[in-house]
Each structure stands twice: as structure tokens, then as C-alpha cells.
Amino acid sequence: MLRVMTTTAKRVPIPKNGVDYRGKIVLAPMVRSGECPSRLLALKYGADLVWGPETVDRALIGCTRIENKTTNTIDFTRYSSNGNKDAQPDHGHRESVIFRLHPEREGRRLIHQIGTANPETAVQAAKLIAADVAGIDVNAGCPKPFSTLGGMGAALLKTPEKLCEILRALVKDVGGPFEIGISVKIRLLETPEQTEALVRALCDTGITGLTIHCRTTPMRPRERAIRDQLKMIADICRETGVACLMNGDVYSRDEALGLIAEYGVDGAMIATAAETNPSVFRPESEGGKASWDVVIREYIETSMEVQNRWGNTKFLLGQMIPGKQPVYQKMTGAKSYTELVQVLGHPDLVERAKITDEQLGIGDFEAPKVSKSQQKAAKKAAAKQQHKGKTTRNNGSKVEKQKHAASSPIKPSAQPAGHNSPTIANKKRSAEQAELESLQDMARDRAPGSIPESVSALAI
């Protein structure tokens, strides 16, 4: 009897609350283009998993987790400081949504990507959201200055020891306790030898998945993806039991499946094509890519459902509506959801749009704008009032001290000569002043490292 020897490929165990990337066609992490409505629409059309846009760790730290009953989402919010050190609700600062997810429709299929350059802050941020997602992914591929100047993104490719340290910390302190997978997304290095050494080091950190963007850091999306090293990377990942996803010039589910078979990777990530039309995840056998007008109506409805920021919705529509279409210019002139559905010819959505405008405070419901001169005058008046109150308190304190001194016997100073007491401008600090300064110092240390609104969508 002939006995055939078989071998089973090694696999890093997938945690109970995590997800295996193998056999998956997924939505890539895209700044501005990967917000909640985009992800939900990609899942509707067949994406197996979705990556959220990169969120800088320091922007997430300090957020409040809110269960939004109106949108059925989980929101991570904080008050915008606008350069002030004491941003608090009672100072009139606007509450900003840093990240929003829909637990029922995407929670266990959502991978949250963080931008980080520090193991401690990476862990601190990841712990805040780990219970609501299926995995944490580290961005080590973004070539944009807003990321690399902070030592994040593609800058981590130049400091592989630090990148590995970050991943090991996340695996130990987040992946283990929350039972989810930790993964990383990288780019090709200058030589195959350098890429191989990096991939081997990363696969030895305990991660469950690795995504390779088949471009080097200096390359841009318009440049053709390089796939010469893909089989080598896939082999290393298979050898170490880590799932390997490919990214770069993948335009549909059917094409992705062909590339998976050709290069031996475990899955594929779609970016640009999905940004333009999320229906690219639907296979040709089930209808393939839907027409742009059908998709944008669905996108608008989903955006209103989750109260997506108007600026973000308008930005995405600018990517989804062909520029030569007459409605493109009309869309760019819209200043609210109500105006938008009217110019796009969806009168049945007008009432819903009005409700969304009211909820977001835009269009007819926008609060009167305050000019810079008015803001300056208000700050000046507040500062004057604060100074007046301080002067009144100081005068009252002086009177009390004088009364006390007049009624108390004179005592020799117990302070040794040459002793320096803690003072501010030669005046001793009160306990109240010391506490206030301490809080301001803490606020400076915790200043968020957020992503500017103007950055490219395809930054990752």
C-alpha cells in the first residue's frame, strides 16, 4: 500500500475575536476615502474585510467612546482645541468625531489602522478601540510628509527595529488580552535582499498578517506596481505562517482572484478602484461593477444614515462622479445634503436630507459665522474679564493679609538666608496656580497628532 506524505502549511493561530486574512478581497486603508459610509458600501458589494483610514495614535488617545443611538454607531470623539490648551465643553469648543464605526454591519470585519512611531502610544491608542474591531494594523507604508515627518508610515521602513518593537508590544499588550490579530502594511524596499530581511523580521514578531504594497516609498499611484518580489514575500509569509495580502493596481474581485493564484499570496487589497466605485468587489457572475449613478445614490443614503461629515461626503462624490458629467459641477456647488439631492435629481431624498442637515448644522441650519475680528474681540473681552477678576481677588487677599499682619505679633523669619522658594515673577505660587499650570502642561503633552483634511486620499 502506497502511503503519500502530506504537509500542512504552518499558520500563526488566529485569535478568537480576530479574523484570518486568507482568501479575502479587502478594502484598503485610505485617508478620507475610507470613512464609515465607504466601508459599509464596500461590504454591501462583497468586500470580505475593510480597513479603516489611518488614525494617528495621539489623535485617538484622549477620545471618549460614545454609543450613538441616532446613527447606531460607536463614535470616538474629542473636543477640538483650535490651538487652545484648555479645550473643554464649557468653552464652546466643537466636539469632533475622530473615528466612527458601525458595530452591527462592520465591527467583526473591520481592521483599524493606526499611525504610530512609539510602542507605548501605539498600545495606549489600540486598547481604546480593540474591543470594537477584528484587528489592529500598523501603517508602515504611507509616504506622505504628514506621516513620515513624525517618524510614522514609510519612515518606519528605515527603522525596522522600532517597527518590530511596536508590533511586539501590540501583539503582547493588545492582541493577547483582546484576542485579536495584529498586522502591518509595508512597501517594497530598494532591493529584494532588503525587502526579504524586513519581511522575515516582521513575521517573527507574532503578527497574523502582512500586506505588501508593490511600490517603493518614492513611487506614486500612477506608476505601475512592481510584482517581481511578490512570490518571494508570499513564500516567506507561508513559511512563517503569516497571511500575506498584496496591494497595488488591483481593480476588481475577479482580477484579484487571478493575481492570488498567479503569485501565491493569500489575499488582495483594492484601493483606487474601490474609492471610485465600491461595487468593484462584486464578481462578474453576480453583475460586476454597478453604474456610477446607482452607486452614488447608495453612498449618499448611507452617508446620511450615519451622519457623515458633509465635507467628507462631498470629497468622495468628487472621486465617484465622472468629471465630464453635467452633474459634477452642480455637485461641487452644493453646500448641504438638501442641495445635493436636489441637483442630483433625487426629490424623494429631500426630507431625509433636511433632517441630516439639521443634525449636522449645515445648509439652512448652519449657525451664523463669527468673523476673525469678532473672535479676537471676544477673546480680548474674556481675557480682560479674567484679569479683572484676578485683580479683585488679589486686592482682597492683600487686605486680608494686612489685617492679619496688624493683629499678629511680629516674628523673625524662619527662612534661612539664601533660600530660594518656588516663585513666578518673584511671587509665590498659590495651590490654585500650581494646579492650573500642571493641567496646561498635561494638555501640551497630550496634543493630538491628527491628519490634516487636505491630504491625498491615497496616502497609504
Side-chain angles (χ1 to χ4, degrees), residues 185-238:
K185 188 170 186 287
I186 65 171
R187 285 185 174 232
L188 297 172
L189 298 186
E190 293 180 5
T191 68
E193 292 76 19
Q194 290 175 330
T195 302
E196 178 181 357
L198 175 65
V199 172
R200 288 191 181 280
L202 296 177
C203 288
D204 194 40
T205 61
I207 57 173
T208 59
L210 179 146
T211 301
I212 178 67
H213 185 157
C214 297
R215 291 184 173 91
T216 59
T217 300
M219 294 177 68
R220 293 297 175 261
R222 65 179 179 275
E223 299 179 73
R224 189 177 182 84
I226 302 172
R227 294 175 180 153
D228 297 348
Q229 302 179 43
L230 198 49
K231 286 187 177 180
M232 175 264 290
I233 296 169
D235 288 343
I236 296 172
C237 289
R238 189 177 304 105

Side-chain angles (χ1 to χ4, degrees), residues 41-105:
L41 204 53
L43 289 169
K44 176 185 180 296
Y45 276 105
D48 298 304
L49 298 173
V50 289
W51 262 242
E54 176 196 22
T55 305
V56 176
D57 54 8
R58 292 185 180 276
L60 195 60
I61 295 170
C63 280
T64 300
R65 181 185 182 277
I66 297 173
E67 294 185 11
N68 191 325
K69 302 299 182 183
T70 303
T71 58
N72 295 316
T73 59
I74 293 175
D75 301 343
F76 291 84
T77 69
R78 68 184 305 158
Y79 285 90
S80 58
S81 64
N82 294 324
N84 295 320
K85 302 169 186 174
D86 60 343
Q88 296 294 333
D90 57 347
H91 284 72
H93 295 283
R94 179 175 54 86
E95 188 175 18
S96 299
V97 177
I98 302 301
F99 190 78
R100 170 173 285 159
L101 64 92
H102 199 295
E104 182 180 345
R105 292 160 63 180

Side-chain angles (χ1 to χ4, degrees), residues 57 114-123 138-139 151-152 156 159-174 182 184 205 207:
D57 54 8
I114 61 172
T116 184
N118 181 285
E120 288 75 24
T121 53
V123 168
V138 173
N139 173 14
M152 303 179 293
L156 288 170
T159 56
E161 298 84 3
K162 179 189 289 186
L163 177 55
C164 289
E165 185 181 356
I166 290 170
L167 293 173
R168 282 192 288 267
L170 287 169
V171 168
K172 175 179 176 290
D173 298 327
V174 180
I182 305 298
V184 64
T205 61
I207 57 173

